[in-house]
């Protein structure tokens, strides 16, 4: 017999249908030489400090760093504290029985870092020694499952992925447990928690909020003039912003004394508007948040349902590209949209045309390729499921369409040889990919004035002039979409070139975990939504003020740890250095907390 373990029952039943396994038992399905069982997510996790016999109540007892980490069945929080989840222990016993009855195991948990961790922790906790191989697929269609079982992967190919996942798990445990306990011991507060990613994310939100509230609006002035050419009137605006009224008045007087403006520069050219890449999870979440107000957690949840319904590829991906073999399926996928009402007319246009190859790049794919639809046609979708499916299908059409073309015009005019005024216009010449969602207006809404054709040295009469007062504005509060971008790009603006290089591809968190981090901040009552903007609660701000200067709140430093996890996936030998640095950092965090929390008399 061969055991198969999945991450959840629904996936087990999908695989069972493909393999002809039909006998339903308590906690598994049997038949055709297979026994298929499942986890319910993380059935096994790192044991709590109490399970090591640790119950330190003084700051000098911290940090607690186990010589060897222990695993334990999942715990659930009750009024009496954390208790072992009886459902978890029951399913673990069933999994153990299944493994014992089989000669080998096929791992069919989600193909990614967390899916690997879920299985390996179960495997280690049960002290299982049976050989196992890996089912690694990017969609749940019957064809993908069949192909996956015909091309099972060697378990050793994913050892480094597990090491990175385990290192992430231990890092979160060490920093979260010790920092939270140190905060509790030193402040006397028991309802706060700190974490490797959640704390710098909270810091991002709080800093932006405080910067926004403390921002002092500053007035400034710009000159402008209305000019005409062959009966066409248009406005040019001074390129300089004056923050002193006296300087602004001086410039205004100069233009008043100058009845005509000379064309210094005229440039009109066609500009290609490149197609967007395919969606990864983050870009899908951002799009759904901006266009439909979906939370990032909601988008992930719906995408996971669509994946399990075999309608889209694996959603927890950080890639916007596909390999050549997947590209070969794209024409038929586009053709399948001929019967989808929203895309019928657009999909018809692809017939006989060469597809854009920009999204095809196997070198830029890590675990999973970009999000695309599958060959299965959706029968009945809820309103929200329809939104996410159409965003993925529509982006696929956009990515393989032709580029758009804009006409771009820039005019610069000069007064008295030193005051330069300009105007610019962008108009759509060819929509290209922008036809899919009819978004050409978005591309040109900033510049929509009609401009004449000029040549350098033309002299134009000034019809009227103005001195316009404006005001500086603060950076806007984060939305979930812009916070995702901030988490992705954390550290890329650093003045430290080494840090900037390290964080160029990772930021903080991962595409699969960022939504969960934001959700944790909501659940902890650290942040809330106000008119689609993320703002810290009183509790969140108070915590931020305590930890603002700590290394744990440093976005760049946290991004460096994320980069280290990616490095372990490529170079397992780096694990020892990572763990050594983690222990040192944990000690530093506890020391910092003890020194900055105001109620230091509790730290004895």
């Amino acid at each position: 017999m061969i055991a198969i373990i999945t991450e959840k029952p629904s996936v087990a039943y999908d695989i069972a249908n493909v393999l002809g396994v039909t006998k339903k038992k308590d906690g598994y399905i049997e038949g055709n030489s297979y026994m298929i069982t499942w986890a319910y997510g993380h059935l096994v996790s790192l044991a709590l400090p109490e399970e090591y016999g640790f119950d330190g109540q003084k700051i000098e007892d911290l940090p607690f760093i186990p010589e060897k980490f222990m695993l334990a069945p999942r715990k659930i929080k009750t009024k009496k504290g954390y208790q072992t989840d009886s459902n978890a222990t029951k399913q673990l016993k069933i999994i153990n029985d299944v493994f014992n009855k089989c000669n080998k195991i096929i791992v069919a948990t989600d193909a990614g870092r967390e899916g690997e961790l879920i299985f390996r922790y179960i495997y280690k906790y049960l002290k299982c020694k049976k050989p196992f191989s890996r089912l690694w697929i990017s969609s749940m269609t019957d064809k993908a499952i069949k192909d996956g079982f015909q091309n099972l992967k060697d378990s050793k190919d994913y050892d480094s992925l597990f090491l990175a996942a385990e290192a992430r798990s231990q890092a979160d445990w060490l920093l979260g447990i010790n920092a939270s306990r140190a905060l509790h011991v030193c402040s006397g507060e028991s309802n706060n928690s700190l974490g490797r990613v959640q704390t710098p994310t909270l810091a991002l939100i709080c800093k932006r909020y405080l910067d926004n509230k403390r921002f002092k609006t500053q007035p400034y002035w710009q000159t402008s003039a209305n000019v005409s050419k062959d009966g066409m009137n248009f406005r040019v605006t001074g390129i300089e912003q004056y923050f002193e009224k006296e300087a602004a008045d001086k410039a205004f007087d100069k233009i008043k004394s100058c009845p005509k403006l000379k064309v210094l520069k005229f440039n009109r050219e066609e500009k290609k508007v490149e197609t967007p890449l395919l969606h990864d999870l983050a870009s899908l979440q951002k799009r759904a948040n901006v266009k439909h107000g979906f939370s990032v957690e909601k988008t992930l949840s719906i995408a996971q349902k669509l994946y399990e319904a075999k309608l889209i590829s694996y959603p927890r991906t950080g890639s916007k590209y596909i390999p050549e073999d997947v590209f070969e399926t794209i024409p038929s996928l586009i053709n399948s949209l001929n019967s989808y009402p929203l895309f019928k007319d657009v999909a018809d246009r692809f017939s006989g045309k060469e597809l854009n190859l920009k999204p095809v790049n196997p070198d830029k794919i890590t675990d999973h390729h970009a999000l695309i639809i599958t060959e299965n046609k959706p029968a009945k979708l809820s309103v929200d499921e329809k939104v996410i499916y159409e965003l993925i299908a529509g982006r696929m059409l956009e990515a393989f369409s032709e580029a758009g073309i804009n006409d771009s015009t820039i005019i610069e005019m000069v007064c008295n040889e030193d005051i330069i005024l300009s105007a610019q216009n962008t108009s759509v010449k060819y929509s290209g990919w922008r036809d899919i969602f009819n978004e050409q207006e978005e591309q040109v809404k900033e510049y929509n004035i009609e401009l004449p054709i000029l040549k350098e040295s033309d002299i134009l009469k000034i019809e009227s002039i103005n001195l316009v007062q404006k005001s500086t504005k603060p950076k806007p509060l984060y939305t979930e979409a812009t916070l995702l971008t901030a988490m992705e790009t954390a550290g890329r603006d650093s003045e430290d070139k080494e840090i900037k290089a390290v964080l160029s591809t990772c930021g903080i968190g991962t595409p699969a975990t960022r939504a969960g981090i934001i959700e944790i901040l909501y659940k902890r009552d650290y942040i809330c939504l106000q008119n689609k903007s993320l703002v810290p609660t009183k509790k969140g701000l108070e915590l931020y003020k305590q930890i603002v200067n700590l290394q744990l709140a440093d976005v760049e430093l946290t991004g460096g740890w994320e980069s280290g996890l990616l490095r372990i996936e490529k170079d397992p030998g780096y694990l020892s250095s990572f763990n050594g640095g983690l222990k040192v950092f944990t000690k530093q965090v506890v020391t910092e907390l003890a020194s900055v929390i105001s109620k230091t008399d509790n730290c004895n």
Side-chain angles (χ1 to χ4, degrees), residues 28-209:
Y28 68 99
I29 320 164
E30 186 177 4
N32 206 13
S33 299
Y34 292 106
M35 296 179 74
I36 307 176
T37 187
W38 50 81
Y40 292 100
H42 288 273
L43 287 180
V44 174
S45 57
L46 296 177
L48 294 174
E50 290 77 8
E51 295 175 75
Y52 295 86
F54 176 81
D55 191 26
Q57 298 297 320
K58 297 181 179 179
I59 195 66
E60 54 263 30
D61 295 328
L62 298 171
F64 174 61
I65 301 176
E67 288 187 17
K68 185 177 181 181
F69 280 94
M70 293 166 48
L71 296 173
R74 180 170 59 212
K75 299 288 188 295
I76 54 175
K77 195 171 185 179
T78 69
K79 292 180 180 179
K80 296 180 180 180
Y82 283 95
Q83 304 288 330
T84 299
D85 183 352
S86 59
N87 291 325
T89 54
K90 176 185 176 183
Q91 189 62 19
L92 283 169
K93 184 179 184 307
I94 291 170
I95 293 170
N96 191 47
D97 290 342
V98 168
F99 285 178
N100 286 336
K101 293 175 183 176
C102 296
N103 300 318
K104 59 182 180 179
I105 303 165
I106 296 174
V107 184
T109 50
D110 282 358
R113 190 189 280 177
E114 286 308 296
E116 196 67 25
L117 186 70
I118 285 170
F119 165 70
R120 300 269 188 141
Y121 270 3
I122 291 172
Y123 187 80
K124 288 178 73 172
Y125 176 75
L126 297 177
K127 298 179 181 175
C128 184
K129 303 296 182 184
K130 300 288 176 72
F132 61 92
S133 53
R134 195 59 162 98
L135 176 72
W136 194 269
I137 55 179
S138 289
S139 78
M140 284 299 298
T141 64
D142 290 359
K143 182 179 183 303
I145 293 170
K146 288 176 184 176
D147 290 346
F149 272 95
Q150 290 173 1
N151 296 279
L152 293 172
K153 308 295 183 182
D154 191 320
S155 63
K156 293 180 181 178
D157 294 346
Y158 301 96
D159 285 349
S160 61
L161 183 67
F162 165 64
L163 289 176
E166 185 178 45
R168 192 277 308 154
S169 175
Q170 293 176 359
D172 287 347
W173 191 98
L174 280 175
L175 291 172
I177 291 287
N178 284 293
S180 297
R181 291 201 173 205
L183 179 64
H184 168 59
V185 168
C186 291
S187 68
E189 298 174 1
S190 59
N191 61 344
N192 283 330
S193 74
L194 301 174
R196 182 180 62 90
V197 181
Q198 77 174 60
T199 300
T201 303
L202 175 63
L204 280 172
I205 297 167
C206 290
K207 183 179 186 305
R208 175 62 62 87
Y209 173 79

Side-chain angles (χ1 to χ4, degrees), residues 18 36 115 117 148 174 267 296 330 387 413 530 598:
V18 172
I36 307 176
L117 186 70
L174 280 175
N267 184 52
V296 293
I330 296 297
V387 166
M413 309 188 79
Q530 286 184 6
S598 57

Side-chain angles (χ1 to χ4, degrees), residues 163-261:
L163 289 176
E166 185 178 45
R168 192 277 308 154
S169 175
Q170 293 176 359
D172 287 347
W173 191 98
L174 280 175
L175 291 172
I177 291 287
N178 284 293
S180 297
R181 291 201 173 205
L183 179 64
H184 168 59
V185 168
C186 291
S187 68
E189 298 174 1
S190 59
N191 61 344
N192 283 330
S193 74
L194 301 174
R196 182 180 62 90
V197 181
Q198 77 174 60
T199 300
T201 303
L202 175 63
L204 280 172
I205 297 167
C206 290
K207 183 179 186 305
R208 175 62 62 87
Y209 173 79
L210 292 173
D211 287 348
N212 185 281
K213 295 304 173 188
R214 293 166 180 165
F215 185 84
K216 292 183 178 179
T217 296
Q218 188 175 358
Y220 68 92
W221 293 264
Q222 279 183 289
T223 57
S224 70
N226 290 314
V227 294
S228 63
K229 167 71 173 178
D230 298 332
M232 182 185 293
N233 293 315
F234 63 98
R235 177 182 295 176
V236 286
T237 301
I239 63 173
E240 189 166 351
Q241 297 175 352
Y242 299 97
F243 287 89
E244 297 293 335
K245 184 64 165 57
E246 185 179 348
D249 288 338
K250 221 178 252 191
F252 183 71
D253 290 340
K254 273 189 178 183
I255 298 175
K256 272 202 300 189
S257 66
C258 178
K260 295 182 179 181
L261 297 178

Side-chain angles (χ1 to χ4, degrees), residues 409-424:
T409 303
I410 297 176
I411 297 173
E412 286 186 1
M413 309 188 79
V414 65
C415 166
N416 288 329
E417 305 301 325
D418 63 346
I419 298 179
I420 298 174
L421 302 97
S422 69
Q424 53 186 310

Side-chain angles (χ1 to χ4, degrees), residues 232-416:
M232 182 185 293
N233 293 315
F234 63 98
R235 177 182 295 176
V236 286
T237 301
I239 63 173
E240 189 166 351
Q241 297 175 352
Y242 299 97
F243 287 89
E244 297 293 335
K245 184 64 165 57
E246 185 179 348
D249 288 338
K250 221 178 252 191
F252 183 71
D253 290 340
K254 273 189 178 183
I255 298 175
K256 272 202 300 189
S257 66
C258 178
K260 295 182 179 181
L261 297 178
K262 183 172 74 173
V263 176
L264 191 64
K265 174 183 176 182
F266 178 82
N267 184 52
R268 175 168 284 179
E269 62 179 339
E270 290 184 356
K271 287 191 175 180
K272 184 184 285 189
V273 184
E274 294 288 354
T275 58
L277 291 168
L278 294 162
H279 276 310
D280 64 359
L281 176 59
S283 65
L284 176 67
Q285 288 170 319
K286 285 186 255 185
R287 192 70 174 163
N289 182 254
V290 170
K291 284 292 184 182
H292 303 281
F294 285 14
S295 71
V296 293
E297 183 69 23
K298 179 177 179 178
T299 297
L300 175 57
S301 176
I302 294 170
Q304 186 70 24
K305 288 179 182 177
L306 293 174
Y307 167 67
E308 291 172 14
K310 309 183 182 184
L311 295 175
I312 65 169
S313 60
Y314 186 67
R316 297 171 186 264
T317 175
S319 176
K320 297 181 179 181
Y321 297 88
I322 58 171
E324 286 91 345
D325 61 330
V326 174
F327 176 67
E328 292 173 3
T329 69
I330 296 297
S332 63
L333 295 178
I334 291 175
N335 187 58
S336 72
L337 291 172
N338 284 329
S339 58
Y340 196 93
L342 180 63
F343 301 118
K344 183 182 184 305
D345 293 338
V346 177
D348 283 340
R349 296 183 217 159
F350 283 84
S351 180
K353 285 189 177 181
E354 288 189 10
L355 300 182
N356 184 355
L357 295 176
K358 182 181 172 184
V360 185
N361 190 336
D363 294 333
K364 293 189 176 182
I365 301 168
T366 50
D367 292 342
H368 292 281
H369 61 66
L371 269 162
I372 57 174
I373 63 170
T374 69
E375 65 271 22
N376 295 331
K377 295 182 180 180
K380 188 176 181 181
L381 298 174
S382 70
V383 173
D384 290 345
E385 288 169 345
K386 188 177 179 185
V387 166
I388 299 302
Y389 181 82
E390 289 177 355
L391 286 178
I392 295 168
R395 176 52 62 88
M396 190 181 78
L397 292 172
E398 288 176 333
F400 293 104
S401 293
E402 295 175 296
I405 299 173
N406 284 348
D407 273 331
S408 175
T409 303
I410 297 176
I411 297 173
E412 286 186 1
M413 309 188 79
V414 65
C415 166
N416 288 329

Side-chain angles (χ1 to χ4, degrees), residues 458-469:
D458 275 353
I459 304 295
L460 274 64
K461 179 184 175 183
I462 296 177
E463 302 293 342
S464 62
I465 60 173
N466 289 286
L467 184 62
V468 181
Q469 182 176 335

Side-chain angles (χ1 to χ4, degrees), residues 459-507:
I459 304 295
L460 274 64
K461 179 184 175 183
I462 296 177
E463 302 293 342
S464 62
I465 60 173
N466 289 286
L467 184 62
V468 181
Q469 182 176 335
K470 300 180 180 180
S471 298
T472 55
K473 295 180 180 179
K475 290 182 179 179
L477 298 174
Y478 282 120
T479 63
E480 288 195 1
T482 56
L483 179 62
L484 280 180
T485 299
M487 294 174 76
E488 283 181 285
T489 59
R492 293 186 195 178
D493 295 329
S494 173
E495 294 181 4
D496 188 314
K497 292 182 179 179
E498 186 176 344
I499 289 176
K500 187 173 181 178
V502 166
L503 301 184
S504 62
T505 58
C506 61

